[in-house]
Amino acid sequence: MDILRFITAGSVDDGKSTLIGRLLYDSKSIMIDQLEAIEKQTKNREDGEIDLALLTDGLRAEREQGITIDVAYKYFSTPKRKFIIADAPGHIQYTRNMVTGASNSDLAIILIDARHGVVEQTRRHSIITSLLNIPHTVVAINKMDLVDYSHDVYNNILIDYAAVAKSLGLKDVIYIPISALNGDNIVDKSSHMDWYEGECLLNILEEVPLSEDINLTDARFPVQYVIRPQTEALHDYRGYAGRIVSGIYQKGDAVTIQPSGLTTTISAIEVGGAEVEEAFAPQSAILHLTDDVDVSRGDLITLTDNQPSVSNELEVLLCWMDAKPLIAGNKYQLQLNSRLVRAVVKEILYKVNVNSLEQEEAPEKVQLNDIVKAVIKTASPIPFDSYRRLRVNGGAILIDETSHVTVGACMIQ
Amino acid sequence: MSKYQLNYLEQLESESIHIMREVAGQFERPALLFSGGKDSIVLVQLALKAFRPGKFPFPLVHIDTGHNFKEALDYRDAMVERIGEKLIVRHVGDTIKAKNLAEPKGKFASRNALQTYTLLDTIEEFKFDACIGGARRDEEKARAKERIFSVRDEFGQWNPKLQRPELWNTYNGRIDKGENVRVFPISNWTELDIWNYIRKEKIELPSIYFAHEREVLEHEGQLVAVSEFVNLEPTDKISRKRVRYRTVGDMTCTAAVESSASDIDDIIKEIIATKTSERGETRIDDKVSEAAMEDRKKNGYF
């Protein structure tokens, strides 16, 4: 049993909340008291049907307005997997929320309304899926009941979407016709669409292979904290605590500390209080080094024969997340894993049209939800990898120095 | 399965240890809020894994309402003794006296809401800049939207509309003086995950989590322990039942469930079979309104 984290992209109109409600309901992850609570609320509505969408709207303002504003996390499990759903709003004014939900996801479900086919919003969601480098995509063509479960309608949408997927370089794309409202092809195969030869959505989610998504080649260990008991018995104990974000570390490995470039070897490894011969991503571990070199929080322990880039100038795709606009020349803090450095956004090269992926002229002020290509200069060098190649060491956040708020997400190129 | 693969409990554990260490790395004066309940007991286990053989970089803090189960307090003291870490206890009763607050009234006079005052005073007294808590996102709808690093203003208030985006596994703990961050390392765990982990790690729990005989009062379909904190009325139906607790909070606002589960395996079986959520079955204080938790959080509650 392992964990699949996925994001559902779509709006209320596409039946996104209904789909999540359906998955939770049909997999028996909703309890009676929760159902009673939403039944009570549904009574205030005109049609009287149980509104599964109410299960996911957590805040009062969301229930009042009938929209999802923030990312909500939902959980369910089957004997095969534990699932974590990032339920993010789909409208363009909430691009930052979708980017947030997408950043941790292994898979994206792109919802398409069968009556409308591939629309601007579908492209935008797919572009974000691609920019955030989500490894797997499921294209769920919803509301099939409203198009008489037509195979032709499904095929035409599939052909249209395949062109989008190809232009974006989406890797693993699976298509499925569903009706979230009626439960067609959600946890059981629908009897209305004999022409569909694939599996139901839950089976797809249960069987997407995830182990290959973890990079076990490029070893990266950001140091979070130094453990030094300084007691009589453990006088010389000095352990570097952190989480292996990628790769495998073995006792005796030659390592290089970045950005200092100092080299030494691993003398011991601890996982969960026990000494081990090797440790791998995504384990939390403690590394011990043979030589007494200067290592502290923010440093990256890497294998000497596999090095990241080290630079104080980064080219990034930047999603702006603050109401206060970004102006070229502004200073921020940049945080990449445990490393925090001062940074300046030196230049904005162009703006990405999130509906078409076309490059547009760089705006003077970068507004909330804009995605731009930019050059960032940092006060000291940072070790990084390209986000496309190694997501876990290529995504950084920008923090406003005065408000301390997270204002930008950077995908390092 | 490749030997370089973690199962889901190991993945959750590693994520939570990472969060604990981020607290240690980013804050000057953190604290771990310990209630004696199973979720905070799991937090202690995760802290042991994150920091041993070193000491915890934070004290345990218990906000004591004075309405606790004796078994939970005994467990707390024995555990602190065993692991040799520092425990700070602050009493809601003292806050009520010092601030001249109104004692709650009614049949189940719960001091649960008053805990917030004591908590905020304690944060101020020790200048805590981060408080680790055992809240989980599966517990409640408002919690499902809260960040793992959740910034509170100087009044301890949560503003759900002004939450920081939280990307990848990167946690932004930078704050202004006077603000603090509530940190929830087990956000992504469910009730069943907690129990499976307790089983896997063979963690000891207060005895009231297991089936035992107890005098209970039946109230609107829930079973409440008879104690000095509950104001009985002549019409109350009292009976002796075999029960266990699914959550351990105050005696005034936590209900028991009928059960014969005497070990962890039995409990896990019961939880898999249950049709009622943890809060729905055991918390008397959540039924008040649809947004009860959201409102309490906005006022500084966990």
Side-chain angles (χ1 to χ4, degrees), chain B residues 119-189:
Chain B
L119 172 62
L120 296 181
D121 285 353
T122 310
I123 288 172
E124 205 173 304
E125 179 186 351
F126 294 95
K127 304 272 174 280
F128 291 134
D129 49 6
C131 294
I132 299 168
R136 311 187 319 262
R137 284 177 179 150
D138 78 321
E139 284 179 88
E140 207 279 330
K141 290 204 281 192
R143 286 195 161 157
K145 303 235 159 172
E146 193 164 13
R147 303 290 182 260
I148 290 174
F149 272 39
S150 180
V151 179
R152 303 300 180 93
D153 65 16
E154 49 191 319
F155 301 100
Q157 298 179 106
W158 180 53
N159 187 340
K161 286 185 186 156
L162 283 181
Q163 297 199 86
R164 295 175 177 175
E166 200 162 70
L167 293 113
W168 300 294
N169 298 307
T170 310
Y171 303 102
N172 172 7
R174 296 178 69 79
I175 46 171
D176 272 323
K177 255 209 149 43
E179 292 178 331
N180 67 85
V181 179
R182 307 286 169 88
V183 179
F184 304 112
I186 54 169
S187 286
N188 286 327
W189 299 48

Side-chain angles (χ1 to χ4, degrees), chain A residues 1 5 32-33 60 62 70 73 75 82 100 103-104 224 242-243 278 282 284-285 297 387 404 406, chain B residues 3-4 8 14-15 18 21-22 53 144-145 147 164 166 168 172 176 188 193 275 277 280 294-295:
Chain A
M1 192 165 161
R5 294 168 200 253
I32 285 177
D33 54 304
R60 190 185 281 132
E62 294 176 324
D70 207 330
Y73 294 91
Y75 304 84
K82 173 185 166 90
T100 301
S103 72
N104 273 327
Q224 292 181 267
R243 193 179 189 191
E278 61 177 357
S284 282
R297 176 175 165 85
Y387 184 81
H404 307 307
T406 303
Chain B
K3 68 168 175 165
Y4 299 118
Y8 91 103
S14 174
E15 175 182 279
H18 174 252
R21 288 171 172 171
E22 279 304 288
K145 303 235 159 172
R147 303 290 182 260
R164 295 175 177 175
E166 200 162 70
W168 300 294
N172 172 7
D176 272 323
N188 286 327
D193 299 337
K275 293 189 167 58
S277 78
E294 185 178 340
D295 291 340

Side-chain angles (χ1 to χ4, degrees), chain A residues 1-3 5 30-34 37-38 41 54-63 68-75 77 82 84 96 99-100 103-104 132 211 216 224-225 227 229 234 237 241-243 248 250 270 272-273 278 280-286 297 321 333 335 337-338 340 387 391 395-397 399 402-406 408-411, chain B residues 1-15 17-22 24-26 49-57 137-142 144-147 158 160-161 163-176 179 187-190 192-193 246 271 274-281 287 289-292 294-295 298:
Chain A
M1 192 165 161
D2 56 2
I3 303 178
R5 294 168 200 253
I30 294 173
M31 301 296 177
I32 285 177
D33 54 304
Q34 295 166 324
I38 65 164
Q41 290 172 66
L54 286 173
L55 280 169
T56 59
D57 294 334
L59 303 175
R60 190 185 281 132
E62 294 176 324
R63 288 192 293 278
T68 317
I69 295 170
D70 207 330
V71 188
Y73 294 91
K74 292 279 156 191
Y75 304 84
S77 53
K82 173 185 166 90
I84 303 179
R96 71 167 192 160
V99 168
T100 301
S103 72
N104 273 327
L132 272 292
S211 54
L216 291 174
Q224 292 181 267
Y225 184 72
I227 295 177
L234 295 162
Y237 184 102
R243 193 179 189 191
I248 301 167
Q250 290 173 326
E270 288 174 81
E278 61 177 357
F280 54 91
Q283 282 180 320
S284 282
I286 297 173
R297 176 175 165 85
M321 302 185 143
Q333 298 270 352
Q335 187 179 348
N337 287 320
S338 59
L340 190 71
Y387 184 81
R391 205 177 169 193
I397 60 170
I399 300 168
T402 52
S403 71
H404 307 307
V405 170
T406 303
C410 305
M411 279 74 75
Chain B
M1 199 168 116
S2 141
K3 68 168 175 165
Y4 299 118
Q5 226 170 312
L6 297 182
N7 72 33
Y8 91 103
L9 280 178
E10 292 166 333
Q11 287 180 47
L12 287 174
E13 178 191 65
S14 174
E15 175 182 279
I17 291 172
H18 174 252
I19 295 163
M20 289 264 186
R21 288 171 172 171
E22 279 304 288
Q26 292 196 33
K49 294 217 175 190
F51 302 111
R52 284 292 184 257
K55 282 271 196 197
F56 291 0
R137 284 177 179 150
D138 78 321
E139 284 179 88
E140 207 279 330
K141 290 204 281 192
K145 303 235 159 172
E146 193 164 13
R147 303 290 182 260
W158 180 53
K161 286 185 186 156
Q163 297 199 86
R164 295 175 177 175
E166 200 162 70
L167 293 113
W168 300 294
N169 298 307
T170 310
Y171 303 102
N172 172 7
R174 296 178 69 79
I175 46 171
D176 272 323
E179 292 178 331
S187 286
N188 286 327
W189 299 48
T190 62
L192 188 58
D193 299 337
R246 230 173 128 180
I271 288 173
T274 186
K275 293 189 167 58
T276 316
S277 78
E278 184 180 276
R279 288 200 88 82
E281 189 166 58
K287 296 201 163 173
S289 90
E290 175 64 29
E294 185 178 340
D295 291 340
K298 282 179 180 167

